[in-house]
Amino acid sequence: MHRRTLLLGALGLGAAGCSLSDPRIAGSPQPPYTPPPPVPPVGADHLAGLEGAAAALLSAMAASPWAGGDAPRFQVLAGIHSLHEAVLMTPEPLLREPAAVEPPTVGAPVTREQGLAAAAAALGTLHDAHAALAAQASGVLAAFWAAQAASAVQSRTLLTASAGALTKAVPQREVAVLPARAAADQLLDRYHEAAYGLESALGRLTNGSPSRTALEGMVSAVKTQRDVLVARSRAASQTPVPGAPAYSVPATATDDEVRALVARLLRAVTEAAAVVVASVATDRDTAVADLVTASTLGLPAGMGLADYPGWPDS
């Protein structure tokens, strides 16, 4: 999607009739070309600035004398938001192919407490701005904004926790768009599958595995969100998709393989949540919040950190 189309889509403006970028208008006589009025700063340009500011602050924190062992994590988070800025500065942001951008620089906050507070505030603002655009958009564009809202929450969460491996962007991969009910049913089924698979994974960990406590918490969180979706479906006078009696869970031989299995199950949930964002026509705020929830399920175990949570890059 072209950068100007992206901005118009965020504003909910139509593109019917003559093109705003066309220097000529059909008919005779032809009036002189008049440039369109500037677009209010609520789209890609505005978000690029917020992303760049967050990246600059996180980079400054990484270079500060008080960062210590947290410096690499701060720099990983800075890289994510620097990428978002570079993508938003391109003519076709949905391709997620970054442009060359000169990153801004800022001074580091004097203390760790000041730095963490400033970063949390900046990332909160970033989440709110992306979520607002996601609520106004539709289809894949809504999922694009929602993924960055979820990314901001991931970063805010990881200011004081370990980061996992990144899922890097693959250009031109898109979130699917389904009938809204089918998308909601798919998400609930992925939660049923995750609850089943995570309990199986928990039983496969070695007794002394450091992942056990985090995985126990994930099992509880997945079941809680599954129950929220079931209750929501019933409140809408719908029949919730029942979980299958059993799901196919690949064999694992080591704790590392168990962790990889858990990561795959949680990624499937997050991708299904992004499909819901792209598919619903109403209550997109709830769909965006569901994507944010899904994107944070694995963070206690260092899993799920991504440039664009929910985007199917692999």
Side-chain angles (χ1 to χ4, degrees), residues 271-297:
E271 291 184 6
V275 170
V276 173
V277 174
S279 302
V280 297
T282 60
D283 201 14
R284 191 168 286 107
D285 286 332
T286 297
V288 174
D290 287 346
L291 174 59
V292 170
T293 296
S295 74
T296 59
L297 291 170

Side-chain angles (χ1 to χ4, degrees), residues 215-237:
L215 184 50
E216 288 173 345
M218 282 188 279
V219 170
S220 177
V222 164
K223 288 183 175 181
T224 296
Q225 183 62 10
R226 177 200 61 189
D227 293 345
V228 167
L229 298 181
V230 168
R232 189 185 301 162
S233 180
R234 288 176 176 156
S237 300

Side-chain angles (χ1 to χ4, degrees), residues 2 23 86 151 157 201 207 235 278:
H2 193 274
S151 174
T157 302
N207 290 333

Side-chain angles (χ1 to χ4, degrees), residues 133-145:
L133 288 182
Q136 297 172 34
S138 62
V140 174
L141 180 57
F144 176 75
W145 295 123

Side-chain angles (χ1 to χ4, degrees), residues 23-37:
R24 295 166 60 87
I25 300 176
S28 180
Q30 295 177 349
Y33 170 65
T34 301

Side-chain angles (χ1 to χ4, degrees), residues 2-281:
H2 193 274
R3 180 179 176 78
R4 177 153 187 81
T5 306
L6 185 72
L7 287 163
L8 292 172
L11 288 167
L13 300 178
C18 62
S19 168
L20 290 176
S21 60
D22 193 341
R24 295 166 60 87
I25 300 176
S28 180
Q30 295 177 349
Y33 170 65
T34 301
V39 177
V42 297
D45 292 320
H46 179 57
L47 268 297
L50 293 180
E51 291 282 5
L57 174 58
L58 289 163
S59 290
M61 290 168 60
S64 69
W66 48 258
D70 292 332
R73 183 172 71 254
F74 294 155
Q75 197 58 57
V76 166
L77 300 180
I80 293 173
H81 297 289
S82 179
L83 172 65
H84 291 173
E85 177 196 18
V87 165
L88 290 170
M89 292 301 293
T90 65
E92 302 281 352
L94 282 182
L95 297 183
R96 292 175 298 139
E97 295 177 329
V101 175
E102 185 67 28
T105 57
V106 298
V110 176
T111 67
R112 175 182 297 273
E113 291 72 21
Q114 291 175 346
L116 294 176
L123 293 166
T125 297
L126 198 53
H127 162 269
D128 293 347
H130 279 300
L133 288 182
Q136 297 172 34
S138 62
V140 174
L141 180 57
F144 176 75
W145 295 123
Q148 291 167 97
S151 174
V153 175
Q154 285 192 335
S155 293
R156 189 172 58 191
T157 302
L158 292 172
L159 287 173
T160 55
S162 298
L166 284 175
T167 300
K168 302 304 291 183
V170 177
Q172 301 190 48
R173 289 296 302 273
E174 290 191 355
V175 172
V177 179
L178 303 175
R181 180 67 185 275
D185 288 349
Q186 176 179 265
L187 176 59
L188 180 53
D189 192 53
R190 293 290 73 76
Y191 268 103
H192 285 311
E193 180 182 44
Y196 181 95
L198 292 178
E199 286 192 323
S200 175
L202 187 58
R204 301 179 189 190
L205 286 175
T206 57
N207 290 333
S209 172
S211 299
R212 180 169 294 279
T213 298
L215 184 50
E216 288 173 345
M218 282 188 279
V219 170
S220 177
V222 164
K223 288 183 175 181
T224 296
Q225 183 62 10
R226 177 200 61 189
D227 293 345
V228 167
L229 298 181
V230 168
R232 189 185 301 162
S233 180
R234 288 176 176 156
S237 300
Q238 298 171 349
T239 302
V241 173
Y247 290 89
S248 176
V249 181
T252 56
T254 66
D255 283 355
D256 284 343
E257 290 180 0
V258 172
R259 286 176 54 83
L261 167 63
V262 169
R264 287 196 298 272
L265 290 166
L266 296 180
R267 180 181 294 180
V269 170
T270 306
E271 291 184 6
V275 170
V276 173
V277 174
S279 302
V280 297

